[in-house]
Amino acid sequence: MRAVWAIARREFAGYFATPVAAVFIVIFLVLAGALTFTLGGFSGRNQADLLPFFGFVPWLLLFLVPALTMRLWAEERRLGTIEMLLTLPIAPWHAVLGKWLAAWAFCAVALALTFPLVITVNWLGEPDNGAILAGYLGCVLVAGAYLALGAAVSAMTRNQVIAFVLGVAGCFVFAAAGSPIVADFLSARLPVLGEVARGFSVAEHFGSFVRGVIALPDLAFFAAFTGFWLFANAVVLEWRRGS
Amino acid sequence: MPPNVTALIEIEGLSRRFGAFTAVDGVSFSVERGEVVGFLGPNGAGKSTTMRMLAGFLPPSAGTARIAGHDVQNDGVAARRHLGFLPEGAPTYPEMTVEGFLRFCARVRGCDPATVPAAMAVTQLEEVRLQPIETLSKGFRRRVGLASALLHDPDVLVLDEPTDGLDPNQKHEVRNLIRAMAPRKAIIISTHILEEVSAVCTRAIIIAHGQVLADSTPGALTADGRDLDTVFRALTLGEGEAA
């Protein structure tokens, strides 16, 4: 764990040593705010809640998270530092976990900086702050899930553009799997498939958190989803070692 | 380390193929404590590939390598604890400061933070310790890589072109450093500079087309009165000439 912690610390500081942190956070906050107030109709709804905001977060993360993860391994390969990193006395999963933890903490910082929305909604009315907290927990879990997927994709290629495009596509598959268009289409042909698609849908499981429900099956889904992609990342790393 | 193991580095029948190309073809040798082996060969001879396999970065297609009795593939973490490795080109994270990078390496390895100033002192990095590595000259970057390989005072040093890019004074310092450490360690350095072999190495291994062509002391190689340059050319250019 010492090595995981050391790697996570270095990576986290790395975001702030480059313009990545500033650009990511500013764009995230601008888009999240703008979408909430325009398309989301935050002010016109006359309801003290953050549903318009939470509705957009998974779709924003869909684009922004792969932008963070595309360089995770591709950059190490380009600089050759992967050779230095993997010849330290650590197992590949230490590096995988350390990088993911740092990226996750970074996303959590970006999400936490949306706090003025929480203050605003408390100023204007009396929202269910428990539900808002659950919604934020859901956002953090979605970010973690996308990060794990994006990092695994980044390990497959040294080309950052490919890593980004495949990352967005991969996240989109799991975001859209539960949407009515996909699920109804599948249900109409084979009802079982519709259920399966909903079961694997990030948006579907995220929905419960937004409604203020923290349920074990949803937590288990995110843990399993994230765990699977972190495992895949370590396997890909081992398999592509030196190629 | 088992007490009866005398050779700190043991390589047996090590081979690596990339598709149809055989980069390293059945290389075997061992290095004992106190030896400094100069690994010589033309570009593309398989020097770096052999060193990468020894460091556990690249899995071999055939054969085994052991460091301090630990197989680098099956018991890699234990093997790498005894290893200080300077990869080709001395890759480091460009945005980190010299001290920050070395602290990171120390943290991952779990060494005492006091090893960082000590390693900076022997590699003469103190004057640039707070500079980002990307602002440094090639010679300084090489010494940052060297410092990170020396941090934990390993039994085995594998240095891929440690003096490349250094000026004559710095080369002299690094050679003195290697000579000073030699009695306590097993050291392999790869180099193009033949005078370096006579200056610091107790043994020279000449490799071309992935095969070991000569393995002897620099004195024995030049025993017939030819200089090392002539011996090297004769061995690596044409077998006919060498015979």
Side-chain angles (χ1 to χ4, degrees):
Chain A
M1 275 327 271
R2 180 196 68 229
V4 172
W5 185 239
I7 291 166
R9 246 178 96 168
R10 193 206 78 75
E11 288 278 328
F12 188 75
Y15 289 115
F16 294 94
T18 56
V20 171
V23 171
F24 182 92
I25 288 177
V26 167
I27 297 296
F28 174 74
L29 293 179
V30 166
L31 286 179
L35 288 171
T36 302
F37 283 94
T38 56
L39 288 178
F42 178 78
S43 350
R45 289 172 76 243
N46 273 328
Q47 283 185 44
D49 61 26
L50 286 183
L51 286 187
F53 167 67
F54 288 135
F56 287 115
V57 168
W59 301 100
L60 270 180
L61 292 178
L62 177 71
F63 287 99
L64 290 177
V65 162
L68 274 188
T69 56
M70 67 179 193
R71 49 168 281 288
L72 275 192
W73 294 107
E75 180 87 345
E76 295 263 2
R77 279 186 208 284
R78 194 179 64 80
L79 290 172
T81 44
I82 191 165
E83 197 170 335
M84 186 278 303
L85 185 64
L86 295 183
T87 53
L88 290 168
I90 57 167
W93 70 264
H94 289 120
V96 169
L97 198 58
K99 276 176 177 283
W100 175 79
L101 276 176
W104 200 31
F106 178 73
C107 283
V109 168
L111 281 165
L113 288 175
T114 60
F115 72 91
L117 279 175
V118 182
I119 295 174
T120 309
V121 85
N122 272 290
W123 184 287
L124 296 173
E126 280 171 11
D128 178 354
N129 279 317
I132 289 178
L133 213 58
Y136 270 102
L137 175 64
C139 292
V140 170
L141 291 174
V142 169
Y146 286 171
L147 283 169
L149 191 157
V153 171
S154 172
M156 290 177 200
T157 173
R158 66 175 71 220
N159 185 315
Q160 303 201 6
V161 176
I162 293 177
F164 175 75
V165 173
L166 287 182
V168 171
C171 293
F172 183 76
V173 165
F174 289 100
S179 72
I181 305 171
V182 177
D184 291 350
F185 173 82
L186 290 172
S187 303
R189 274 131 191 105
L190 238 175
V192 181
L193 276 184
E195 280 311 302
V196 170
R198 267 198 207 96
F200 278 102
S201 161
V202 167
E204 187 87 358
H205 291 278
F206 173 67
S208 326
F209 288 96
V210 175
R211 288 191 296 273
V213 182
I214 302 178
L216 197 58
D218 299 316
L219 288 173
F221 166 78
F222 282 109
F225 186 94
T226 307
F228 170 80
W229 287 107
L230 289 177
F231 176 74
N233 190 345
V235 169
V236 170
L237 203 57
E238 189 67 21
W239 172 61
R240 280 190 46 103
R241 205 168 246 248
S243 63
Chain B
M1 188 180 79
N4 56 345
V5 175
T6 48
L8 283 170
I9 301 170
E10 299 161 278
I11 292 180
E12 280 168 32
L14 208 59
S15 298
R16 173 69 200 201
R17 286 180 292 279
F18 295 100
F21 172 68
T22 304
V24 175
D25 189 6
V27 167
S28 302
F29 62 87
S30 58
V31 184
E32 291 174 19
R33 196 184 293 275
E35 283 190 293
V36 181
V37 173
F39 210 38
L40 299 169
N43 286 328
K47 299 187 297 284
S48 292
T49 308
T50 306
M51 289 179 140
R52 279 185 185 140
M53 287 193 280
L54 180 57
F57 179 67
L58 200 60
S61 308
T64 58
R66 279 190 298 276
I67 291 176
H70 302 282
D71 188 285
V72 298
Q73 284 298 309
N74 304 325
D75 194 9
V77 174
R80 294 198 292 274
R81 278 206 190 99
H82 293 274
L83 170 74
F85 178 47
L86 176 70
E88 188 180 19
T92 47
Y93 296 110
E95 78 281 359
M96 295 184 91
T97 64
V98 171
E99 191 172 9
F101 176 72
L102 294 175
R103 279 189 189 284
F104 161 69
C105 294
R107 252 184 236 123
V108 173
R109 288 186 177 280
C111 354
D112 185 346
T115 56
V116 171
M120 286 194 294
V122 293
T123 50
Q124 295 162 313
L125 286 167
E126 284 132 324
E127 49 175 317
V128 295
R129 70 188 182 92
L130 296 178
Q131 279 193 42
I133 295 172
E134 62 195 342
T135 65
L136 298 177
S137 68
K138 200 176 168 194
F140 272 116
R141 288 183 204 191
R142 186 75 37 156
R143 283 186 279 159
V144 174
L146 190 61
S148 77
L150 298 176
L151 269 180
H152 51 300
D153 194 22
D155 288 322
V156 173
L157 277 176
V158 176
L159 309 175
D160 202 343
E161 302 192 344
T163 59
D164 189 38
L166 303 190
D167 67 34
N169 295 334
Q170 296 166 339
K171 275 186 186 145
H172 182 75
E173 289 300 331
V174 169
R175 283 174 199 162
N176 280 347
L177 178 63
I178 291 172
R179 255 196 302 265
M181 293 186 299
R184 294 177 288 119
K185 299 183 191 302
I187 303 176
I188 301 184
I189 59 171
S190 80
T191 180
H192 293 298
I193 309 161
L194 296 173
E195 46 161 301
E196 197 153 284
V197 177
S198 338
V200 293
C201 298
T202 59
R203 196 171 136 199
I205 293 177
I206 298 179
I207 174 172
H209 308 296
Q211 290 175 323
V212 173
L213 300 180
D215 180 353
S216 181
T217 62
L221 283 174
T222 53
D224 53 3
R226 295 183 300 174
D227 62 10
L228 204 52
D229 237 18
T230 319
V231 175
F232 179 83
R233 264 202 303 280
L235 278 171
T236 56
L237 283 178
E239 276 73 11
E241 255 177 280

